[in-house]
Amino acid sequence: MTDPDRTDRAADRPSSDLMKRETAVEKARQKTAALALEFGKAWEYAPAPETPDHVKLEERYQLFIGGKWMPPKSGKYFDTVSPSTEQTLAQVAEGNAEDVDRAVKAARHAYDKYWGKMRGAERAKYVFRIARALQEKARELAIVETMDGGKPIKESRDVDIPLASAHFFYNAGWADKLDYAFHGRKVRPLGVAGQVIPWNFPLLMAAWKIAPAIACGNTVVLKPAETTPLTALLLAQIIEEAELPPGVVNIVTGAGETGAALVGHPDVNKVAFTGSTDVGKKIQRAIAGSGKRLTLELGGKAANIVFADAPLDQAVEGIVGGIYFNQGHVCCAGSRLLVEESVHDIVVRKLKDRMATLRLGDPLDKNTDVGAINSRAQLERIKELVLSGEREGAERFSAPCELPSKGFWFPPTFFTNASQSCRIAREEIFGPVLTIMTFRTPDEAIEKANNTMYGLSAGIWTDKGSKIFHVATRLQAGVIWANTYNKFDPSSPFGGYKESGFGREGGRQGLAAYLEVQ
Amino acid sequence: MAGEKKTATSVTGRDDDGTTLPGSAGLPRGGPIARHADSEAPAPRVTVNKAYKMYVGGAFVRSESGRYFQVRGSAVGHDTDPPTVNVPRASRKDVRDAVLVAHNAKVSWAARTPFNRGQILYRLAEVLESRSSELEASLVRGGTDADDAAAEVDASIDRAVFYAGMADKVSALVATHNPVSGPHFGFSIPEPMGVIGVIAPEKPTLLGLLSTVLPVVTTGNTAVALASELDPRTAILFCECLATSDFPGGVINVLTGHPFEVAPIMAKHREVTGIDAWLSDAELRTQVERLGADSVKRAKTHAPRDLEFWLGERQGQGIGWVEPFLETKTVWHPVGL
């Protein structure tokens, strides 16, 4: 456990302050060694599964177009599979270009006939209805989200669904206050919004997209991700039950081609996309010159910076939450840990201890911390990148947990001794894999943190307030969590710098994406 | 294509081949007429012609490529220019050099207090005012109607004053405190994006350049701008104003050349974070947006607008010109003991 290199280096240093600190660190290390957690079998919990009994999924879902459930023109359906059991949950319609066209026409009709003209105060009440219905159906939605996507029930129950409802509630209140939102500048809706969302937070992303769009008076065609379409379809049922005018929200399920047809449709005024940077660039290229408004929320490779003066136990909680929350399927995941060199060993030690307590397994179990990887394809990508990390000489540690025999699983993992040039330090893994690197000065931390094409988020852990602001102003990232991580709120703008995309979602700033502000 | 383009202004007081004396055409101190020195009239003084150069990093430079294009214009007032003037034709390398300079200038420019940036912009307004008659004459020489030129210069000076006062107001106008549900304090503040590429509109040649560049730099961005190819001389005169104001070198860099060459290079450059391109050619606008996608560039393209648009205080300026080149940074911190 004692690093001989470190001892040598410390001895060479003339600074007595440094020596003192090294001694303190050494003492702390010995103390934590003495307190090393021994779990054995003591912390095994009895299963506490959330029962899916009252959730009734249909065998087959149609497209939701113009307020009606319509079979796809393609006649084709695809399976949506539970990644934790590999069981087929339901069949979902595969919308083609013709279906997209029908949906855009329905949205245009709804915009011209009802929604674009409706008083904001009236629109607001429809949006509030959706928020309330999401709360009423929260349990069902959480279960379906977990079954379809593989995320732990405690996350879908405590984060995804409440936040989705909160986004509708928050934006509903804006609908009749848009005249005040931009210092009295005149605003008007854009028209029809085509929205394409990812599989990591299926219902929450639908809420991020639909709520501000319709609150601002636009109508919507939304394409959910092909591996997680179910909660968006349940949301369509809620919208139907809330009696929104037909065509205000249309849901067209399908894969990449369906999405391409949607963003490429000539009668779409606004495109909003959340997903990979590669696809984001394709969309930006495809709609160049069309005059369509665009917002992109793309990938990330966030640096989580831990200074030696940070409250380390809290930092470790933040590191774990930052990267292992939702199996690391988070665009703002703190996937690069930058630790001040003097506390590297102690942080790694504490991290290993904490990871030993993470429970991986049945996502429907209320005690589960780490669920299933969303799809086989994503699992393969994670494995491939982890293999590249090993090949490039980084040192791998994976939490000691048993993986279920069925489904797609990957243990919480981190790499030490990684260099900035490693693929695991540069590419978005989108899985529970952390790359740990060190720094000696704040400048070095900032430089390393910014050494990426991404700029979505970052974390700063220190007890010194002035250092937080010093570092925060120099980090090229859209969201900075200081002494916390992965916090979201509908009132708080979210979105990236650089190749993490442009535009913001949430807050007053998020409205601008759906309005023409004169 | 546009390399052969000539400014469509009349040539007053001299023939295209330059063989006629200026006579009463308003060239009191001579012109390109030294060849007539052996005539009977007293020989007019031989004038010193200005070499027009681009403005990069606070210095006046030629194109590294050695390429040039030519503009012609009518002689107005005290004008020592020959009927045909060579202007640098910016190359790919010139764009890259200017972007590097702008990149190196951005950290210290953004780190200045908004109050300080405001003072520097106000200083620019002072310098512009003191050279207003020269700017006006230059516009007319470049083909702008005399009445329009006076209005354009006045509006340009006022625009500089507008954005001078904007520097320390932007935050108050766009920043928010975010009332999140939980024990956290959160806020969102505007930040400059970095280096912004500007393709100034063809017309108005002075007001268009000012109106596109100043909202970009007032918030702490640096700019690489391509001046209107119709009247690059007025743009260079504006650069002389920049050079004698308190603007640090590299904050505003102005190239001369052709949009069809320069705009795609800017759009492709990864260090250019955003682009504000005013282009009459719709295909070129599409191309800029498409090329910008490779680096997820904040590319804004616009079709030409009339002079009224640019002169207007509601349309030609405002927070709406500033916002597209700002990032929003959201910061969270826990609240507790």
Side-chain angles (χ1 to χ4, degrees), chain B residues 4 13 23 25 30 51 56 72-73 85 95 108 121-122 142 154 169 190 192 284 287 295 303 311 313 315 318 325 337:
Chain B
E4 282 75 54
V56 176
R72 294 174 165 214
V85 173
V95 175
S108 60
L121 263 83
Y122 186 74
D154 287 352
K169 314 300 181 296
L284 194 50
Q287 193 192 0
S295 51
L311 289 173
E313 283 181 6
Q315 288 181 297
F325 303 104
L337 293 172

PDB file of all heavy atoms in Angstrom, chain B residues 4 13 23 25 30 51 56 72-73 85 95 108 121-122 142 154 169 190 192 284 287 295 303 311 313 315 318 325 337:
ATOM      1  N   GLU B   4     -12.288  39.367 -59.949  1.00  0.00           N
ATOM      2  CA  GLU B   4     -12.294  40.340 -61.043  1.00  0.00           C
ATOM      3  C   GLU B   4     -13.296  41.462 -60.792  1.00  0.00           C
ATOM      4  O   GLU B   4     -13.411  42.378 -61.572  1.00  0.00           O
ATOM      5  CB  GLU B   4     -12.664  39.641 -62.362  1.00  0.00           C
ATOM      6  CG  GLU B   4     -11.515  38.856 -62.970  1.00  0.00           C
ATOM      7  CD  GLU B   4     -11.267  37.568 -62.209  1.00  0.00           C
ATOM      8  OE1 GLU B   4     -12.218  36.790 -62.047  1.00  0.00           O
ATOM      9  OE2 GLU B   4     -10.132  37.350 -61.754  1.00  0.00           O
ATOM     10  N   GLY B  13     -13.610  63.121 -62.356  1.00  0.00           N
ATOM     11  CA  GLY B  13     -12.448  63.979 -62.442  1.00  0.00           C
ATOM     12  C   GLY B  13     -11.245  63.343 -63.091  1.00  0.00           C
ATOM     13  O   GLY B  13     -10.207  63.956 -63.220  1.00  0.00           O
ATOM     14  N   GLY B  23      -8.384  68.858 -62.818  1.00  0.00           N
ATOM     15  CA  GLY B  23      -9.080  70.126 -63.039  1.00  0.00           C
ATOM     16  C   GLY B  23      -9.896  70.531 -61.833  1.00  0.00           C
ATOM     17  O   GLY B  23      -9.389  70.592 -60.719  1.00  0.00           O
ATOM     18  N   ALA B  25     -12.208  68.899 -60.439  1.00  0.00           N
ATOM     19  CA  ALA B  25     -12.904  67.739 -59.856  1.00  0.00           C
ATOM     20  C   ALA B  25     -12.579  67.512 -58.391  1.00  0.00           C
ATOM     21  O   ALA B  25     -12.960  66.506 -57.828  1.00  0.00           O
ATOM     22  CB  ALA B  25     -12.584  66.475 -60.641  1.00  0.00           C
ATOM     23  N   GLY B  30      -3.261  67.615 -56.189  1.00  0.00           N
ATOM     24  CA  GLY B  30      -2.688  66.735 -57.188  1.00  0.00           C
ATOM     25  C   GLY B  30      -3.303  65.367 -57.212  1.00  0.00           C
ATOM     26  O   GLY B  30      -4.391  65.143 -56.735  1.00  0.00           O
ATOM     27  N   ALA B  51      -0.351  52.583 -48.888  1.00  0.00           N
ATOM     28  CA  ALA B  51      -0.462  51.140 -49.121  1.00  0.00           C
ATOM     29  C   ALA B  51      -1.479  50.591 -48.119  1.00  0.00           C
ATOM     30  O   ALA B  51      -1.316  50.762 -46.912  1.00  0.00           O
ATOM     31  CB  ALA B  51       0.892  50.463 -48.920  1.00  0.00           C
ATOM     32  N   VAL B  56      -3.973  42.947 -38.222  1.00  0.00           N
ATOM     33  CA  VAL B  56      -3.906  41.677 -37.492  1.00  0.00           C
ATOM     34  C   VAL B  56      -2.963  41.839 -36.302  1.00  0.00           C
ATOM     35  O   VAL B  56      -1.815  42.275 -36.473  1.00  0.00           O
ATOM     36  CB  VAL B  56      -3.407  40.530 -38.402  1.00  0.00           C
ATOM     37  CG1 VAL B  56      -3.247  39.244 -37.592  1.00  0.00           C
ATOM     38  CG2 VAL B  56      -4.362  40.314 -39.568  1.00  0.00           C
ATOM     39  N   ARG B  72     -11.525  50.317 -57.169  1.00  0.00           N
ATOM     40  CA  ARG B  72     -11.501  51.643 -57.779  1.00  0.00           C
ATOM     41  C   ARG B  72     -12.514  52.497 -57.060  1.00  0.00           C
ATOM     42  O   ARG B  72     -13.445  51.992 -56.452  1.00  0.00           O
ATOM     43  CB  ARG B  72     -11.913  51.560 -59.243  1.00  0.00           C
ATOM     44  CG  ARG B  72     -10.923  50.792 -60.073  1.00  0.00           C
ATOM     45  CD  ARG B  72     -11.476  50.648 -61.454  1.00  0.00           C
ATOM     46  NE  ARG B  72     -10.428  50.238 -62.358  1.00  0.00           N
ATOM     47  CZ  ARG B  72     -10.356  50.610 -63.613  1.00  0.00           C
ATOM     48  NH1 ARG B  72     -11.275  51.402 -64.124  1.00  0.00           N
ATOM     49  NH2 ARG B  72      -9.375  50.194 -64.369  1.00  0.00           N
ATOM     50  N   GLY B  73     -12.327  53.779 -57.146  1.00  0.00           N
ATOM     51  CA  GLY B  73     -13.321  54.617 -56.515  1.00  0.00           C
ATOM     52  C   GLY B  73     -13.194  56.030 -57.007  1.00  0.00           C
ATOM     53  O   GLY B  73     -12.211  56.404 -57.655  1.00  0.00           O
ATOM     54  N   VAL B  85      -6.503  50.824 -56.700  1.00  0.00           N
ATOM     55  CA  VAL B  85      -5.759  50.596 -55.461  1.00  0.00           C
ATOM     56  C   VAL B  85      -5.649  49.094 -55.213  1.00  0.00           C
ATOM     57  O   VAL B  85      -6.615  48.356 -55.378  1.00  0.00           O
ATOM     58  CB  VAL B  85      -6.485  51.281 -54.279  1.00  0.00           C
ATOM     59  CG1 VAL B  85      -5.830  50.902 -52.956  1.00  0.00           C
ATOM     60  CG2 VAL B  85      -6.497  52.778 -54.469  1.00  0.00           C
ATOM     61  N   VAL B  95      -5.889  33.772 -42.614  1.00  0.00           N
ATOM     62  CA  VAL B  95      -6.984  33.489 -41.687  1.00  0.00           C
ATOM     63  C   VAL B  95      -6.440  32.760 -40.469  1.00  0.00           C
ATOM     64  O   VAL B  95      -6.728  33.105 -39.317  1.00  0.00           O
ATOM     65  CB  VAL B  95      -8.094  32.661 -42.359  1.00  0.00           C
ATOM     66  CG1 VAL B  95      -9.167  32.259 -41.348  1.00  0.00           C
ATOM     67  CG2 VAL B  95      -8.718  33.429 -43.515  1.00  0.00           C
ATOM     68  N   SER B 108      -6.728  37.314 -22.002  1.00  0.00           N
ATOM     69  CA  SER B 108      -6.557  38.564 -21.267  1.00  0.00           C
ATOM     70  C   SER B 108      -7.696  39.543 -21.558  1.00  0.00           C
ATOM     71  O   SER B 108      -8.082  40.322 -20.696  1.00  0.00           O
ATOM     72  CB  SER B 108      -5.201  39.191 -21.586  1.00  0.00           C
ATOM     73  OG  SER B 108      -5.108  39.452 -22.964  1.00  0.00           O
ATOM     74  N   LEU B 121     -14.129  50.573 -25.505  1.00  0.00           N
ATOM     75  CA  LEU B 121     -15.063  50.794 -26.615  1.00  0.00           C
ATOM     76  C   LEU B 121     -15.467  52.265 -26.707  1.00  0.00           C
ATOM     77  O   LEU B 121     -15.627  52.811 -27.801  1.00  0.00           O
ATOM     78  CB  LEU B 121     -16.309  49.909 -26.458  1.00  0.00           C
ATOM     79  CG  LEU B 121     -16.254  48.618 -27.268  1.00  0.00           C
ATOM     80  CD1 LEU B 121     -15.480  47.547 -26.527  1.00  0.00           C
ATOM     81  CD2 LEU B 121     -17.639  48.110 -27.609  1.00  0.00           C
ATOM     82  N   TYR B 122     -15.608  52.888 -25.558  1.00  0.00           N
ATOM     83  CA  TYR B 122     -15.967  54.310 -25.578  1.00  0.00           C
ATOM     84  C   TYR B 122     -14.838  55.137 -26.183  1.00  0.00           C
ATOM     85  O   TYR B 122     -15.071  56.089 -26.939  1.00  0.00           O
ATOM     86  CB  TYR B 122     -16.305  54.809 -24.168  1.00  0.00           C
ATOM     87  CG  TYR B 122     -16.818  56.220 -24.202  1.00  0.00           C
ATOM     88  CD1 TYR B 122     -18.106  56.494 -24.669  1.00  0.00           C
ATOM     89  CD2 TYR B 122     -16.006  57.288 -23.834  1.00  0.00           C
ATOM     90  CE1 TYR B 122     -18.575  57.789 -24.755  1.00  0.00           C
ATOM     91  CE2 TYR B 122     -16.463  58.595 -23.915  1.00  0.00           C
ATOM     92  CZ  TYR B 122     -17.760  58.838 -24.387  1.00  0.00           C
ATOM     93  OH  TYR B 122     -18.214  60.124 -24.482  1.00  0.00           O
ATOM     94  N   GLY B 142     -15.692  55.195 -51.625  1.00  0.00           N
ATOM     95  CA  GLY B 142     -15.927  53.769 -51.850  1.00  0.00           C
ATOM     96  C   GLY B 142     -17.261  53.476 -52.509  1.00  0.00           C
ATOM     97  O   GLY B 142     -17.598  52.310 -52.716  1.00  0.00           O
ATOM     98  N   ASP B 154     -22.460  58.691 -38.496  1.00  0.00           N
ATOM     99  CA  ASP B 154     -23.096  59.057 -37.220  1.00  0.00           C
ATOM    100  C   ASP B 154     -23.580  57.810 -36.479  1.00  0.00           C
ATOM    101  O   ASP B 154     -23.346  57.644 -35.283  1.00  0.00           O
ATOM    102  CB  ASP B 154     -24.301  59.987 -37.467  1.00  0.00           C
ATOM    103  CG  ASP B 154     -23.845  61.386 -37.869  1.00  0.00           C
ATOM    104  OD1 ASP B 154     -22.617  61.645 -37.798  1.00  0.00           O
ATOM    105  OD2 ASP B 154     -24.707  62.194 -38.264  1.00  0.00           O
ATOM    106  N   LYS B 169     -23.403  45.557 -18.702  1.00  0.00           N
ATOM    107  CA  LYS B 169     -24.844  45.357 -18.488  1.00  0.00           C
ATOM    108  C   LYS B 169     -25.286  43.949 -18.880  1.00  0.00           C
ATOM    109  O   LYS B 169     -26.346  43.489 -18.466  1.00  0.00           O
ATOM    110  CB  LYS B 169     -25.681  46.348 -19.322  1.00  0.00           C
ATOM    111  CG  LYS B 169     -25.236  47.786 -19.282  1.00  0.00           C
ATOM    112  CD  LYS B 169     -25.242  48.386 -17.894  1.00  0.00           C
ATOM    113  CE  LYS B 169     -24.811  49.847 -17.907  1.00  0.00           C
ATOM    114  NZ  LYS B 169     -23.422  50.051 -18.358  1.00  0.00           N
ATOM    115  N   PRO B 190     -23.333  34.568 -18.187  1.00  0.00           N
ATOM    116  CA  PRO B 190     -22.834  34.548 -19.560  1.00  0.00           C
ATOM    117  C   PRO B 190     -21.311  34.563 -19.574  1.00  0.00           C
ATOM    118  O   PRO B 190     -20.687  35.194 -18.722  1.00  0.00           O
ATOM    119  CB  PRO B 190     -23.382  35.855 -20.130  1.00  0.00           C
ATOM    120  CG  PRO B 190     -23.491  36.767 -18.952  1.00  0.00           C
ATOM    121  CD  PRO B 190     -23.799  35.899 -17.766  1.00  0.00           C
ATOM    122  N   PRO B 192     -17.910  34.714 -22.549  1.00  0.00           N
ATOM    123  CA  PRO B 192     -17.560  34.797 -23.971  1.00  0.00           C
ATOM    124  C   PRO B 192     -17.252  33.417 -24.527  1.00  0.00           C
ATOM    125  O   PRO B 192     -16.848  32.520 -23.795  1.00  0.00           O
ATOM    126  CB  PRO B 192     -16.320  35.686 -23.983  1.00  0.00           C
ATOM    127  CG  PRO B 192     -15.766  35.621 -22.604  1.00  0.00           C
ATOM    128  CD  PRO B 192     -16.931  35.394 -21.696  1.00  0.00           C
ATOM    129  N   LEU B 284     -23.327  29.897 -50.430  1.00  0.00           N
ATOM    130  CA  LEU B 284     -22.191  30.104 -49.540  1.00  0.00           C
ATOM    131  C   LEU B 284     -22.639  30.058 -48.074  1.00  0.00           C
ATOM    132  O   LEU B 284     -21.933  29.529 -47.210  1.00  0.00           O
ATOM    133  CB  LEU B 284     -21.514  31.439 -49.877  1.00  0.00           C
ATOM    134  CG  LEU B 284     -20.130  31.708 -49.301  1.00  0.00           C
ATOM    135  CD1 LEU B 284     -19.175  30.563 -49.556  1.00  0.00           C
ATOM    136  CD2 LEU B 284     -19.562  33.007 -49.878  1.00  0.00           C
ATOM    137  N   GLN B 287     -22.993  26.521 -47.216  1.00  0.00           N
ATOM    138  CA  GLN B 287     -21.671  25.896 -47.110  1.00  0.00           C
ATOM    139  C   GLN B 287     -21.029  26.220 -45.753  1.00  0.00           C
ATOM    140  O   GLN B 287     -20.434  25.347 -45.112  1.00  0.00           O
ATOM    141  CB  GLN B 287     -20.784  26.398 -48.254  1.00  0.00           C
ATOM    142  CG  GLN B 287     -19.511  25.585 -48.408  1.00  0.00           C
ATOM    143  CD  GLN B 287     -18.505  26.253 -49.340  1.00  0.00           C
ATOM    144  OE1 GLN B 287     -18.749  27.331 -49.882  1.00  0.00           O
ATOM    145  NE2 GLN B 287     -17.376  25.609 -49.515  1.00  0.00           N
ATOM    146  N   SER B 295     -17.099  21.036 -36.361  1.00  0.00           N
ATOM    147  CA  SER B 295     -16.656  21.369 -35.002  1.00  0.00           C
ATOM    148  C   SER B 295     -17.807  21.914 -34.161  1.00  0.00           C
ATOM    149  O   SER B 295     -17.581  22.637 -33.203  1.00  0.00           O
ATOM    150  CB  SER B 295     -15.502  22.376 -35.062  1.00  0.00           C
ATOM    151  OG  SER B 295     -15.845  23.482 -35.877  1.00  0.00           O
ATOM    152  N   ALA B 303     -28.808  36.758 -44.689  1.00  0.00           N
ATOM    153  CA  ALA B 303     -28.900  37.377 -46.005  1.00  0.00           C
ATOM    154  C   ALA B 303     -28.757  38.895 -45.824  1.00  0.00           C
ATOM    155  O   ALA B 303     -28.974  39.410 -44.728  1.00  0.00           O
ATOM    156  CB  ALA B 303     -30.239  37.040 -46.640  1.00  0.00           C
ATOM    157  N   LEU B 311     -29.294  51.063 -39.827  1.00  0.00           N
ATOM    158  CA  LEU B 311     -29.328  52.343 -39.126  1.00  0.00           C
ATOM    159  C   LEU B 311     -30.234  52.291 -37.899  1.00  0.00           C
ATOM    160  O   LEU B 311     -30.036  53.005 -36.935  1.00  0.00           O
ATOM    161  CB  LEU B 311     -29.824  53.455 -40.071  1.00  0.00           C
ATOM    162  CG  LEU B 311     -28.867  53.889 -41.188  1.00  0.00           C
ATOM    163  CD1 LEU B 311     -29.572  54.867 -42.128  1.00  0.00           C
ATOM    164  CD2 LEU B 311     -27.599  54.523 -40.622  1.00  0.00           C
ATOM    165  N   GLU B 313     -32.178  51.750 -34.527  1.00  0.00           N
ATOM    166  CA  GLU B 313     -31.721  51.463 -33.168  1.00  0.00           C
ATOM    167  C   GLU B 313     -32.426  50.243 -32.582  1.00  0.00           C
ATOM    168  O   GLU B 313     -31.947  49.648 -31.627  1.00  0.00           O
ATOM    169  CB  GLU B 313     -31.937  52.682 -32.263  1.00  0.00           C
ATOM    170  CG  GLU B 313     -30.880  53.741 -32.507  1.00  0.00           C
ATOM    171  CD  GLU B 313     -31.050  54.958 -31.613  1.00  0.00           C
ATOM    172  OE1 GLU B 313     -31.921  54.927 -30.725  1.00  0.00           O
ATOM    173  OE2 GLU B 313     -30.318  55.935 -31.830  1.00  0.00           O
ATOM    174  N   GLN B 315     -33.434  47.542 -34.585  1.00  0.00           N
ATOM    175  CA  GLN B 315     -33.042  46.334 -35.325  1.00  0.00           C
ATOM    176  C   GLN B 315     -31.528  46.165 -35.399  1.00  0.00           C
ATOM    177  O   GLN B 315     -31.019  45.063 -35.260  1.00  0.00           O
ATOM    178  CB  GLN B 315     -33.580  46.418 -36.755  1.00  0.00           C
ATOM    179  CG  GLN B 315     -35.072  46.248 -36.868  1.00  0.00           C
ATOM    180  CD  GLN B 315     -35.483  46.323 -38.324  1.00  0.00           C
ATOM    181  OE1 GLN B 315     -35.304  47.356 -38.976  1.00  0.00           O
ATOM    182  NE2 GLN B 315     -35.999  45.227 -38.842  1.00  0.00           N
ATOM    183  N   GLY B 318     -28.480  45.804 -30.242  1.00  0.00           N
ATOM    184  CA  GLY B 318     -29.280  45.313 -29.120  1.00  0.00           C
ATOM    185  C   GLY B 318     -28.670  44.083 -28.478  1.00  0.00           C
ATOM    186  O   GLY B 318     -27.670  43.531 -28.965  1.00  0.00           O
ATOM    187  N   PHE B 325     -23.375  34.986 -29.213  1.00  0.00           N
ATOM    188  CA  PHE B 325     -21.955  34.663 -29.051  1.00  0.00           C
ATOM    189  C   PHE B 325     -21.552  34.658 -27.580  1.00  0.00           C
ATOM    190  O   PHE B 325     -20.453  35.023 -27.204  1.00  0.00           O
ATOM    191  CB  PHE B 325     -21.107  35.605 -29.912  1.00  0.00           C
ATOM    192  CG  PHE B 325     -21.525  35.500 -31.352  1.00  0.00           C
ATOM    193  CD1 PHE B 325     -22.289  36.479 -31.954  1.00  0.00           C
ATOM    194  CD2 PHE B 325     -21.239  34.354 -32.074  1.00  0.00           C
ATOM    195  CE1 PHE B 325     -22.738  36.338 -33.261  1.00  0.00           C
ATOM    196  CE2 PHE B 325     -21.680  34.196 -33.376  1.00  0.00           C
ATOM    197  CZ  PHE B 325     -22.427  35.187 -33.976  1.00  0.00           C
ATOM    198  N   LEU B 337     -24.356  23.919   6.714  1.00  0.00           N
ATOM    199  CA  LEU B 337     -23.332  24.228   7.727  1.00  0.00           C
ATOM    200  C   LEU B 337     -22.242  23.160   7.715  1.00  0.00           C
ATOM    201  O   LEU B 337     -22.479  22.032   7.325  1.00  0.00           O
ATOM    202  CB  LEU B 337     -23.980  24.304   9.103  1.00  0.00           C
ATOM    203  CG  LEU B 337     -24.945  25.487   9.287  1.00  0.00           C
ATOM    204  CD1 LEU B 337     -25.668  25.358  10.619  1.00  0.00           C
ATOM    205  CD2 LEU B 337     -24.207  26.814   9.209  1.00  0.00           C
TER     206      LEU B 337
END
